[in-house]
Amino acid sequence: MIYDCDLVRGRGESMKAPDREADEAFMREALVEARKAADKGEVPVGAVLVCDERIVGRGRNRREAAQDPVAHAEILAIRQGARHLGSWRLEDCSLYVTLEPCAMCAGALVNGRVRRLVYGATDPKAGFCGSLGDLVQDPRLNHRLEVESGVLAAESAELLRGFFAELRSGERKTSKQRGRSGSLKTV
């Protein structure tokens, strides 16, 4: 399913080059996904994959619910976008994500040939797009992404801070703590 982001279209015209207004509009869509993750007891990270100014993939963290270590927002948005576009090559796409991607997600961006990464908050403990390393711009690799960081960083960081503060205080429970461990039956 394609989602129009009317916020970045002016009177039906299509924007040709990325700009701050468009970046913020798509980042707000990623924040919507992050809030949905938080509502389900997941770490609030959200992502949208954009191609030709249209959202072609959405993702939010689902590691707890799916009991899947790779169910990160970025991976889910990339998978949905690739299915929609019918190609693993996402050369004309941009990924908007509320938190700097980890090494796994950075690798998926490179392998998917995503053109551009826009992220909100930096992740000094796991971020691999500038913080701990910079996989997406490593000159030894055959593909590098354009990167824009800090877009709606305060909102993204506050969502994460609030989530973890509630978790520490006991006001919030993860899906696992609520009794939905997602354990699988042996076949």
Side-chain angles (χ1 to χ4, degrees):
M1 176 177 243
I2 296 178
Y3 304 88
D4 266 327
C5 192
D6 296 328
L7 298 172
V8 298
R9 293 181 180 273
R11 299 185 188 107
E13 295 122 28
S14 170
M15 286 193 242
K16 299 296 181 208
D19 64 25
R20 191 67 174 195
E21 185 180 324
D23 286 348
E24 288 181 3
F26 286 121
M27 187 61 72
R28 287 188 201 295
E29 293 294 317
L31 281 163
V32 166
E33 295 301 316
R35 287 186 193 96
K36 289 178 185 176
D39 290 345
K40 297 291 186 182
E42 299 279 354
V43 175
V45 177
V48 294
L49 186 70
V50 175
C51 188
D52 295 327
E53 297 180 45
R54 290 179 176 248
I55 296 173
V56 296
R58 290 179 178 267
R60 58 182 172 271
N61 272 359
R62 293 190 31 83
R63 289 190 334 169
E64 294 292 338
Q67 288 299 293
D68 180 353
V70 299
H72 287 203
E74 300 94 323
I75 299 294
L76 299 176
I78 289 168
R79 283 180 178 161
Q80 187 180 75
R83 273 193 308 271
H84 174 78
L85 295 170
S87 177
W88 65 268
R89 288 181 178 89
L90 305 171
E91 293 139 337
D92 296 325
C93 296
S94 297
L95 185 82
Y96 292 80
V97 61
T98 57
L99 182 65
E100 178 184 359
C102 68
M104 174 184 70
C105 294
L109 291 165
V110 170
N111 285 322
R113 310 295 194 266
V114 174
R115 180 180 60 84
R116 187 166 180 258
L117 166 66
V118 181
Y119 69 86
T122 58
D123 186 352
K125 293 184 179 181
F128 231 77
C129 299
S131 290
L132 293 179
D134 198 354
L135 191 62
V136 297
Q137 293 186 325
D138 190 319
R140 296 170 296 179
L141 299 176
N142 64 340
H143 178 74
R144 285 172 291 289
L145 286 74
E146 298 171 32
V147 177
E148 180 74 30
S149 62
V151 176
L152 300 184
E155 291 92 328
S156 298
E158 184 52 40
L159 188 57
L160 287 158
R161 270 193 298 274
F163 175 84
F164 286 111
E166 287 179 13
L167 204 57
R168 284 190 298 275
S169 73
E171 293 175 36
R172 176 181 293 278
K173 297 198 182 300
T174 65
S175 58
K176 186 174 182 180
Q177 291 169 321
R178 287 191 302 247
R180 287 184 251 144
S181 66
S183 47
L184 300 173
K185 294 181 181 176
T186 306
V187 180

